[in-house]
Amino acid sequence: MTNNSVSYNEWLEARDTLLAKEKALTRQYDALTAERQALPVVRVEKPYLFSSDSGECSLADLFEDVSQLIVYHFMFGEDWDATCSGCTQWANAFNGTTEKFASADARLVAVSSASIEKITAEKLKRGWTFEWYSQGNSDFGVDFHVSSHDPTEKSRTVGGQTVNFDRGENHCISVFKRDEAGNIYLTYSCFNRGVEPMNGAFAYYDLLPNGRQW
């Protein structure tokens, strides 16, 4: 960072110039959010089974008594010695907050390929309390482009972006909605840097003069 020290009034003038751009970006983001919420939806018809601490459950069970579900696809394979370091940062960011989603008629949960035994041990070790399910050998991760059963598959094209696999796994956020008849729909998903806004720590890093160094 260069030494560009100025008087407070000069700084305030430069800050006001930036503030105008920040407000414009906020309005643009609000418009983008409205477009995201208005996206068409895709009905999920395949039956997926997961494992939890209390036994086997379906995708519908993950909703419990709400109509909206956010799934954080947590990179943690059955043969992994440790969780993905990046996903661990995301988990640290939302741990302790997930129960608040009930007021928005929603749940936020994590899903991984690792067995529920490995997941439970990891939660205990790190003191995490959020709901974390195992997708096991189901096609859930494959169908939503976060897992590959093919060890030779290093990447996949999903629409207009490339999804890269690290030991058969990738991170992603998928959003689902359930209607009054019980039908489940995929409403949104994001990969790569698209997940960044959901980690509040990143926004703090971006305020620092030296930027992201985590």
Side-chain angles (χ1 to χ4, degrees), residues 50 62 71-74 109-113 132-135 140:
F50 305 86
L62 269 56
V71 173
Y72 182 82
H73 299 272
F74 196 124
V109 305
V111 173
S112 295
S113 293
W132 190 1
Y133 299 88
S134 170
Q135 67 190 23
F140 184 72

Side-chain angles (χ1 to χ4, degrees), residues 142-160:
V142 175
D143 291 348
F144 291 96
H145 311 295
V146 295
S147 301
S148 176
H149 295 330
D150 180 0
T152 66
E153 185 180 19
K154 303 303 180 183
S155 65
R156 183 183 303 171
T157 300
V158 183

Side-chain angles (χ1 to χ4, degrees), residues 46-213:
K46 183 182 290 188
Y48 297 107
L49 290 178
F50 305 86
S51 296
S52 70
D53 290 329
S54 56
E56 196 171 69
C57 53
S58 66
L59 181 58
D61 292 329
L62 269 56
F63 283 80
E64 291 193 342
D65 58 353
V66 301
S67 69
Q68 301 169 102
L69 176 70
I70 303 170
V71 173
Y72 182 82
H73 299 272
F74 196 124
M75 294 172 62
F76 188 30
E78 179 61 18
D79 59 346
W80 291 28
D81 294 328
T83 57
C84 163
S85 59
C87 290
T88 299
Q89 294 292 332
W90 259 260
N92 285 332
F94 62 67
N95 184 57
T97 69
T98 55
E99 67 275 6
K100 304 298 184 183
F101 282 79
S103 61
D105 188 31
R107 290 189 82 209
L108 169 61
V109 305
V111 173
S112 295
S113 293
S115 65
I116 193 61
E117 290 78 14
K118 289 195 68 168
I119 287 172
T120 300
E122 194 69 19
K123 286 180 65 177
L124 182 63
K125 180 177 72 175
R126 297 185 180 275
W128 288 337
T129 58
F130 58 86
E131 295 295 329
W132 190 1
Y133 299 88
S134 170
Q135 67 190 23
N137 294 319
S138 76
D139 290 333
F140 184 72
V142 175
D143 291 348
F144 291 96
H145 311 295
V146 295
S147 301
S148 176
H149 295 330
D150 180 0
T152 66
E153 185 180 19
K154 303 303 180 183
S155 65
R156 183 183 303 171
T157 300
V158 183
Q161 58 188 318
T162 300
V163 175
N164 295 305
F165 294 110
D166 175 6
R167 292 168 289 170
E169 303 292 334
N170 186 37
H171 68 290
C172 167
I173 293 173
S174 297
V175 184
F176 303 91
K177 184 172 178 62
R178 181 173 58 182
D179 65 17
E180 293 182 356
N183 300 309
I184 297 174
Y185 302 88
L186 173 69
T187 66
Y188 180 73
S189 68
C190 57
F191 303 89
N192 303 325
R193 294 193 65 183
V195 307
E196 285 186 8
M198 274 61 79
N199 187 336
F202 271 39
Y204 283 105
Y205 291 138
D206 288 345
L207 297 179
L208 296 170
N210 290 339
R212 300 180 185 183
Q213 299 185 32

